[in-house]
Amino acid sequence: MRLFYLLTTLFIFSSQLISQKEITLEDIFKNGTFRTQGVPGFNFMQDGRHYTALSDNRIVQYDLTTGKMVEVLLDARQIADDYKIENYEFTFDERYIVLRSKTNRIYRRSYTAEYVVYDRKKERIRPIDNLNQISYATVDPSGQRVAFVKDNDLYYQHLASKK
């Protein structure tokens, strides 16, 4: 019986050694063989039960367990008839949503865009920096400020006071 276990173990280890593929630089950088796969286009909510996605120019909340729509959090027509939401980011407490639109590409990964903030509690929308083209608008971890770049200078704005 010991001989059987020994032979089985040797067979398993030898087959694993034979089946291993050599890793090349082409596989890593050119072919993307080991690149992680993600699912873009949705954001998890803080409650752990819902997620949001951009659908038909609306931010829609879905139930994570059933996949069914719960509610429309924001319809772009609330802003303007021709407004197009290109991307969005929630603050940590999910009271504010920072929306990006009218993106102008500069280089491969850089761009300027118009950003607005939607206050879910007051149901109001207001621009960041008077709808000037700015870059990299990002909400801070506390969810109280949004930082952005304008004319190569770094700014931040307090969301509640708008200063």
Side-chain angles (χ1 to χ4, degrees):
M1 196 64 162
R2 285 185 177 182
L3 182 61
F4 174 74
Y5 288 122
L6 179 64
L7 290 174
T8 305
T9 305
L10 286 173
F11 176 74
I12 291 171
F13 284 123
S14 64
S15 65
Q16 286 180 349
L17 289 174
I18 293 170
S19 66
Q20 288 184 353
K21 181 183 176 202
E22 184 178 324
I23 298 174
T24 64
L25 291 175
E26 285 82 18
D27 284 336
I28 295 171
F29 297 108
K30 185 177 179 184
N31 302 334
T33 304
F34 305 103
R35 187 174 300 135
T36 58
Q37 298 296 317
V39 182
F42 67 94
N43 297 309
F44 288 104
M45 307 275 308
Q46 292 295 333
D47 63 6
R49 297 197 57 223
H50 299 96
Y51 68 95
T52 61
L54 198 54
S55 174
D56 194 28
N57 212 18
R58 302 176 304 161
I59 298 174
V60 182
Q61 182 181 33
Y62 295 92
D63 186 293
L64 194 57
T65 57
T66 65
K68 294 186 179 184
M69 184 180 86
V70 176
E71 69 176 303
V72 175
L73 300 180
L74 178 65
D75 190 329
R77 289 176 287 202
Q78 291 175 255
I79 302 169
D81 287 335
D82 61 343
Y83 191 83
K84 171 95 170 96
I85 301 173
E86 295 175 357
N87 199 359
Y88 66 96
E89 179 184 5
F90 284 92
T91 57
F92 183 76
D93 64 358
E94 297 173 345
R95 175 178 174 176
Y96 300 101
I97 306 173
V98 177
L99 307 165
R100 185 183 81 203
S101 67
K102 298 183 181 176
T103 301
N104 293 317
R105 298 266 174 219
I106 299 172
Y107 299 112
R108 190 169 160 189
R109 291 189 177 95
S110 62
Y111 55 85
T112 60
E114 291 181 5
Y115 289 88
V116 297
V117 176
Y118 174 64
D119 185 338
R120 292 178 60 202
K121 188 175 182 181
K122 294 181 180 179
E123 296 185 355
R124 289 189 190 152
I125 296 166
R126 64 174 179 79
I128 297 175
D129 198 49
N130 297 321
L131 289 180
N132 291 318
Q133 291 278 315
I134 59 176
S135 300
Y136 310 114
T138 306
V139 178
D140 79 329
S142 71
Q144 296 178 7
R145 292 171 293 274
V146 61
F148 59 93
V149 174
K150 178 182 169 187
D151 300 326
N152 288 331
D153 292 324
L154 181 62
Y155 296 88
Y156 75 91
Q157 184 180 88
H158 194 270
L159 291 171
S161 69
K162 303 171 193 163
K163 292 182 180 180

